[in-house]
Amino acid sequence: MEVSGLANTPQPPYYAVTFTSIRTDGENGYAEMAERMARLSSDSPGFLGMEHAASDGLSITICYWESLEAIAAWRQHEEHLLAQQKGYEQWYDSFATRVCRVERDNVFSRPK
Amino acid sequence: MEVSGLANTPQPPYYAVTFTSIRTDGENGYAEMAERMARLSSDSPGFLGMEHAASDGLSITICYWESLEAIAAWRQHEEHLLAQQKGYEQWYDSFATRVCRVERDNVFSRPK
């Protein structure tokens, strides 16, 4: 799943969930889960887009959503709940999830 | 300047500015400016923290702020205005800046 570009989000307001994390050592099935969660979230109602980057041990994923209701539904998705549990048990040394209302944005694309 | 860890933010609400970007080819003084902007913003009133990661051509920087007024002041900082201008002229193929109100967060740190 391609998440290395800019998300094509609508006019604000909309919502962003930022997930910033530092992994524990070891793979422990992480990559497979991450791929699965990216696919599942992008298939969820109200999903608007995703941006991801990782370097120097820090991973940042931002998911954009239409509404708090869409975020709540994704948060309670059965497979996502299992992934969250594994995150606490095994995958993450530390993380922060932040639920944000996007008040305004400024998008630039260089003319070709 | 070390920005590869998790930001130690206070209880919500507070504000986040996400800056997601794809560079043009070439250095053109970018790294020096990025370092300078990181230092200047962290010295600005109301700055709460910063998180950064870059991979596969995509860079994500999230700055946290106490208030919209703090964001407005940083946005209008003289050197930052020059950097913004160079960003449009030269450094970025595309970018998105999003000003967000952090409504709630969930922070985890594994017990040592």
Side-chain angles (χ1 to χ4, degrees):
Chain A
M1 183 177 175
E2 180 56 67
V3 292
S4 63
L6 298 183
N8 184 19
T9 46
Q11 287 296 308
Y14 52 92
Y15 290 85
V17 179
T18 68
F19 182 69
T20 311
S21 62
I22 296 171
R23 294 271 306 282
T24 52
D25 293 335
E27 168 56 21
N28 303 312
Y30 179 79
E32 187 182 351
M33 174 285 300
E35 173 82 7
R36 177 86 180 138
M37 289 304 115
R39 284 185 190 279
L40 278 178
S41 60
S42 68
D43 288 341
S44 288
F47 175 89
L48 297 175
M50 181 184 295
E51 292 166 342
H52 173 75
S55 56
D56 293 334
L58 189 73
S59 171
I60 302 177
T61 301
I62 310 177
C63 280
Y64 301 100
W65 298 92
E66 280 179 4
S67 66
L68 291 174
E69 292 71 23
I71 294 169
W74 166 237
R75 189 183 179 196
Q76 293 300 317
H77 186 288
E78 189 170 359
E79 281 192 64
H80 189 199
L81 287 171
L82 289 172
Q84 290 170 50
Q85 185 182 336
K86 287 275 280 183
Y88 282 109
E89 289 174 359
Q90 193 165 32
W91 285 322
Y92 298 113
D93 180 72
S94 52
F95 67 76
T97 303
R98 296 179 174 96
V99 178
C100 311
R101 181 182 150 97
V102 181
E103 306 281 354
R104 63 173 193 271
D105 61 13
N106 175 32
V107 178
F108 168 73
S109 185
R110 184 169 300 281
K112 301 302 179 191
Chain B
M1 184 178 173
E2 179 55 68
V3 291
S4 63
L6 296 183
N8 184 18
T9 46
Q11 288 295 310
Y14 53 90
Y15 290 84
V17 178
T18 68
F19 182 69
T20 311
S21 61
I22 296 171
R23 294 270 307 283
T24 52
D25 293 336
E27 169 56 20
N28 303 313
Y30 179 80
E32 187 182 349
M33 176 284 301
E35 173 80 8
R36 177 85 181 140
M37 290 304 114
R39 285 186 189 280
L40 278 178
S41 60
S42 68
D43 288 342
S44 289
F47 176 88
L48 297 174
M50 182 185 295
E51 293 166 341
H52 173 75
S55 56
D56 294 332
L58 189 74
S59 171
I60 302 177
T61 301
I62 309 178
C63 280
Y64 300 100
W65 300 91
E66 280 179 5
S67 65
L68 290 174
E69 291 72 23
I71 294 169
W74 166 239
R75 189 185 180 197
Q76 292 300 317
H77 186 290
E78 190 172 0
E79 282 192 65
H80 189 199
L81 287 172
L82 289 172
Q84 291 170 49
Q85 185 182 335
K86 286 275 281 182
Y88 282 108
E89 289 174 358
Q90 193 166 34
W91 285 322
Y92 299 114
D93 179 72
S94 53
F95 67 75
T97 304
R98 295 178 175 95
V99 177
C100 310
R101 180 182 151 100
V102 181
E103 305 281 354
R104 62 174 194 270
D105 61 14
N106 176 33
V107 179
F108 168 75
S109 185
R110 185 169 300 282
K112 302 298 179 191

